Amino acid sequence: MANETAQADRAVRLDGVSKFYETQAARITALEKMNWSIGGGEAAALMGPSGCGKTTILNLLGGMDRPSGGEIWVSGENVAAMSERQLEVYRLRKVGFVFQFFNLIPSLSALDNLELPMLMAGVKPEERRVRAESLLDSVGLKAKGFKRPEELSGGEQQRVAVCLALVNDPPIILADEPTGNLDSHNAKVISSMLIDLATSRGKTVLVASHDPKVVEQFPRVYHMRDGAIQQVT
Ligand code: ADP
Ligand code: MG
């Protein structure tokens, strides 16, 4: 029962979500009254051509942008109704985000990059270092903690970025084209790592990609086109 509750808490649901972008020339409809959900602990890929709305969905789920209408339920909370302050806390604690371009601060070492969001979340210094070291160890980078991003390969940087998404132990991991800047070997390593977060650690993982080779590794694939899910495989 407790486990069932935990699973329900992690579920992600879009209820009638619309997103319009206003530009000088036109109003662009990215999503219109979209209904969609993924289960708690699922490793899901969101696949579709460029422009179909994948980033829009991830940004809405990540609390980085607001919908034009509808409700976005994550971990039992309606993200669409949160205040700016609530969104800040949500982004820090409830979701971990992995981006295409690694998103590490260039002047900081890998360890310091990982400690920064813990500092913001009020984690004590000793614990910050222990957690950061243990995360780097878990992705095989224990020896590289004092290296800055430019001293690491692309694959290594993205492994640090996956750790960064995990530092505050959020239930939801969102990744937007996380392998878009990697060769096929490293793409596989990162995809497997993301899938493993769901299977071994019970996280809900959603990865947007337009690369069929990446997507086919995921146990569930949502195929998106023109702002709607067309098929689930
Ligand atoms: P994807 O990630 O699948 O490539 P996006 O979510 O980025 O798709 O884009 C969905 C649609 O919304 C596209 O038509 C895109 O051009 C448009 N769009 C996305 N962001 C903006 C923006 N900031 N301003 C105007 N239009 C945008
Ligand atoms: Mg995109």
Side-chain angles (χ1 to χ4, degrees):
M1 184 65 201
N3 193 36
E4 265 174 42
T5 311
Q7 296 286 58
D9 279 352
R10 288 196 198 96
V12 167
R13 199 171 87 232
L14 272 61
D15 275 349
V17 170
S18 299
K19 180 66 187 179
F20 311 116
Y21 294 104
E22 306 284 347
T23 69
Q24 270 177 341
R27 187 167 96 149
I28 293 156
T29 302
L31 307 174
E32 193 158 23
K33 299 203 170 132
M34 182 171 181
N35 297 310
W36 183 45
S37 69
I38 60 178
E42 198 171 283
L46 183 59
M47 161 90 175
S50 179
C52 73
K54 304 181 297 296
T55 295
T56 298
I57 291 184
L58 291 192
N59 287 347
L60 293 174
L61 286 173
M64 293 189 290
D65 199 1
R66 289 183 180 277
S68 311
E71 295 178 354
I72 298 168
W73 291 90
V74 179
S75 292
E77 295 178 284
N78 181 8
V79 184
M82 287 181 185
S83 67
E84 286 303 315
R85 178 78 195 105
Q86 286 171 318
L87 278 178
E88 275 173 35
V89 176
Y90 172 82
R91 285 192 295 260
L92 198 56
R93 297 183 181 276
K94 294 297 172 71
V95 289
F97 221 104
V98 181
F99 299 90
Q100 180 174 354
F101 295 103
F102 318 143
N103 210 43
L104 300 170
I105 298 173
S107 59
L108 297 182
S109 70
L111 280 169
D112 286 341
N113 264 283
L114 297 183
E115 285 193 45
L116 192 60
M118 291 191 260
L119 176 79
M120 282 152 63
V123 179
K124 290 201 204 78
E126 320 78 80
E127 195 189 331
R128 292 204 298 265
R129 185 47 59 107
V130 170
R131 254 200 249 174
E133 282 176 342
S134 133
L135 279 164
L136 285 182
D137 196 13
S138 73
V139 299
L141 292 176
K142 193 179 178 178
K144 304 221 169 167
F146 294 101
K147 302 267 187 213
R148 278 179 287 112
E150 65 173 18
E151 300 175 287
L152 301 170
S153 72
E156 288 170 339
Q157 287 183 60
Q158 196 63 311
R159 271 142 73 192
V160 177
V162 171
C163 295
L164 185 63
L166 290 168
V167 281
N168 289 324
D169 202 23
I172 314 284
I173 303 294
L174 304 169
D176 195 0
E177 307 279 359
T179 63
N181 225 29
L182 298 177
D183 60 59
S184 60
H185 168 71
N186 279 302
K188 245 193 167 122
V189 169
I190 292 295
S191 314
S192 306
M193 212 169 254
L194 289 166
I195 293 165
D196 188 57
L197 294 177
T199 44
S200 310
R201 300 182 56 175
K203 309 266 180 213
T204 302
V205 177
L206 177 60
V207 174
S209 177
H210 64 266
D211 183 349
K213 284 213 288 297
V214 166
V215 166
E216 71 187 12
Q217 298 179 61
F218 282 75
R220 183 149 305 157
V221 184
Y222 296 89
H223 299 264
M224 187 173 183
R225 207 170 186 92
D226 299 333
I229 303 296
Q230 305 263 310
Q231 197 191 352
V232 186
T233 54

